[in-house]
Structure formats: C-alpha cells, structure tokens
Amino acid sequence: MDDENVLLLEDGHCFRSQTLALCTRVGAHEVDFRATSLTTLAQMVMAAGSITLLPQLAVSMENRQGQLVVRPFAPPGPGRTLVLAWRPGHPRAEALRTIAGTLRSVWPGAPKPPRSSATPSAR
C-alpha cells in the first residue's frame, strides 16, 4: 500500500480511525473524497477503480456481485478486538453468554473466553 491513494470513510467512523492509522504506518494517502458507509465505500471503489480497506466480515456482503478484487493481508494482518460486555447481575446474562458463544463459534480465529474471577456481590 506504499504510496497508494486510498478511499476511506468519513470522520466519526471508528473504522476510519483504524484504517487511517494503518495507512499512515504503511505510507498510503487518503484521497479527498470520503464515504458515509461501507456500502458507499465499496461502490466508490467499483466506480473509480481505486482501493480501500474493508473489514473481513463485510467483504462477502459488499462484494456480493464479485466486482471487487479482494486481496487479504499477509499474516499477521491487521485486526480489531470486539467485546461483548454486561454488568454483573444483568437479568439477561445467560442469553448474552449464549450470544457470545455463537459469535465465538462463527468468528474466524476467535479466542477462548477469559475466565472471570469476579462474582456478583450479594446485597
């Protein structure tokens, strides 16, 4: 990506901050146009023949018509950490644990859940 011009999301998107930081590290440059969503970003790349970065989870949806050339990063590629958190004693904690387990089962390379030593306090 050295010296490439890259399309990014507009200010306010956390993915913009992450991709801008990566571009700075590898010597890529942001172009003057910015997209409001990942879908718009993918459409801009298709129309202009430029490049961008997309989260792996968005690639199948944004490239559903196969019009993008997708090149994954060589390992170890950049990544993000997602966290599902709730307060101790949450009334839907069991449902949230089930959701977390489902996400872990389908997420590529998902780590095992941390062992929590915290227990809800009795009041």
Side-chain angles (χ1 to χ4, degrees):
M1 291 181 54
D2 185 33
D3 212 31
E4 289 283 349
N5 292 318
V6 182
L7 286 166
L8 299 177
L9 290 168
E10 67 183 359
D11 291 332
H13 288 274
C14 64
F15 189 65
R16 172 189 164 69
S17 302
Q18 295 161 352
T19 54
L20 191 55
L22 177 65
C23 288
T24 300
R25 282 199 316 263
V26 299
H29 310 283
E30 177 184 10
V31 298
D32 291 333
F33 301 106
R34 295 181 184 149
T36 57
S37 68
L38 292 175
T39 298
T40 304
L41 193 61
Q43 290 171 351
M44 289 170 69
V45 167
M46 285 183 254
S50 53
I51 68 169
T52 193
L53 300 168
L54 292 173
Q56 180 64 43
L57 289 175
V59 170
S60 62
M61 178 58 124
E62 301 309 334
N63 196 29
R64 60 191 169 276
Q65 296 176 355
Q67 294 178 303
L68 296 172
V69 174
V70 178
R71 293 190 180 138
F73 284 94
R80 299 190 290 175
T81 300
L82 301 179
V83 176
L84 176 62
W86 59 90
R87 69 182 183 279
H90 190 285
R92 308 282 294 204
E94 192 54 42
L96 291 167
R97 280 188 203 91
T98 301
I99 291 169
T102 301
L103 290 172
R104 257 187 250 103
S105 72
V106 298
W107 195 277
K112 299 220 185 245
R115 294 238 176 224
S116 174
S117 58
T119 56
S121 59
R123 293 184 189 211

